[in-house]
Amino acid sequence: SPLNWGEHFQRQELFAFRCLTRLTWHRKMSQKNPEPCELAEVVHEKPLSGAFEEVLFGSDRGNTLWVKFSDKEGINEWVGKFGTGGFSASRVTKVEEPDKFLVCAGGFAYLINATNRQIVDKFCNEFVYDVVYDSQNKNFVVTDGIRIRIIGAGHEIWASKRIALDGIRDLKFEGRIVSGLAEVGFKGEEEEFTFNMDTREVKIAVDFSSWDALLKNSRKTKPWWKFW
């Protein structure tokens, strides 16, 4: 029999309606009993308005980093908008199973429970170049470009000797070892360094620790994140 286009489109509309109804039901069920949001990725372009549920984390003005979180099935999806610092380090890393993520946004640090869509901890300081997270001791490990610092509950717990001329980047945390690249020359030369979280030992080819005594005598002793 000839194709009835009206009936054909009605069937398509009915199929689309059923799919939408099923998706809406799954989303409602996931909100009541959410599967863990085990996946996260930086979104490099601003999502279309209304495409995802959005949660703001210090991003009401200024630069923003967008991160999409979801469960394995892609049903429980949402986007976090994070206020950023002034440096280039921006990434999201899972730090605890199944759903704890460290968002490094231009040096600002946010520890996120992705399933509950809540901040567990944060450290936002304009002098921080890069950050990783020590999930064992619940501390941020940050760099101000010249040394490594351990931050707990918003306060500095420990600081390394000076290990860079002016710049530390690409922090990574594997096992109990933090590694990265430190600028050690006036022409931008870099050397890899390692830092043992348990022994607090720093290994790097060039030693800048003698500079600390000069700096100590040239400025007042105040918290580094308040006055530089």
Side-chain angles (χ1 to χ4, degrees), residues 63-100:
N63 295 329
T64 295
L65 178 70
W66 301 77
V67 179
K68 185 179 79 170
F69 301 91
S70 69
D71 61 14
K72 289 182 178 180
E73 302 300 325
I75 295 174
N76 185 18
E77 292 184 315
W78 63 282
V79 167
K81 295 172 60 179
F82 297 88
T84 68
F87 295 95
S88 61
S90 293
R91 62 181 178 273
V92 57
T93 308
K94 182 180 286 189
V95 293
E96 288 185 34
E97 293 291 349
D99 57 3
K100 301 292 192 310

Side-chain angles (χ1 to χ4, degrees), residues 102-148:
L102 172 68
V103 175
C104 176
F108 285 5
Y110 304 86
L111 181 63
I112 300 294
N113 182 316
T115 304
N116 295 339
R117 307 183 183 187
Q118 294 178 343
I119 287 182
V120 179
D121 198 0
K122 68 177 181 178
F123 187 71
C124 299
N125 181 273
E126 60 182 316
F127 295 115
V128 171
Y129 280 48
D130 203 352
V131 58
V132 290
Y133 186 71
D134 177 10
S135 58
Q136 178 174 306
N137 295 312
K138 313 299 183 187
N139 295 323
F140 293 112
V141 183
V142 309
T143 177
D144 57 359
I146 61 174
R147 68 186 81 244
I148 298 296

Side-chain angles (χ1 to χ4, degrees), residues 6 32 35 52 60 97 100 114 125 136 143 158 168 218:
K32 293 180 180 179
E35 289 294 321
F52 301 97
D60 55 335
E97 293 291 349
K100 301 292 192 310
N125 181 273
Q136 178 174 306
T143 177
W158 180 86
I168 295 174
S218 66

Side-chain angles (χ1 to χ4, degrees), residues 154-216:
H155 300 284
E156 181 179 297
I157 297 173
W158 180 86
S160 73
K161 64 182 182 180
R162 183 165 186 160
I163 62 174
L165 184 63
D166 185 22
I168 295 174
R169 64 183 182 90
D170 288 354
L171 292 187
K172 296 180 178 63
F173 202 139
E174 296 182 9
R176 299 297 297 157
I177 303 297
V178 175
S179 63
L181 294 174
E183 187 174 310
V184 297
F186 290 100
K187 294 183 179 181
E189 298 91 340
E190 292 180 315
E191 292 282 348
E192 185 175 4
F193 71 89
T194 61
F195 167 57
N196 187 306
M197 287 295 301
D198 296 325
T199 65
R200 305 285 170 89
E201 180 185 9
V202 178
K203 292 183 179 180
I204 189 169
V206 183
D207 185 4
F208 288 98
S209 59
S210 61
W211 291 35
D212 287 341
L214 297 175
L215 288 173
K216 187 176 180 180

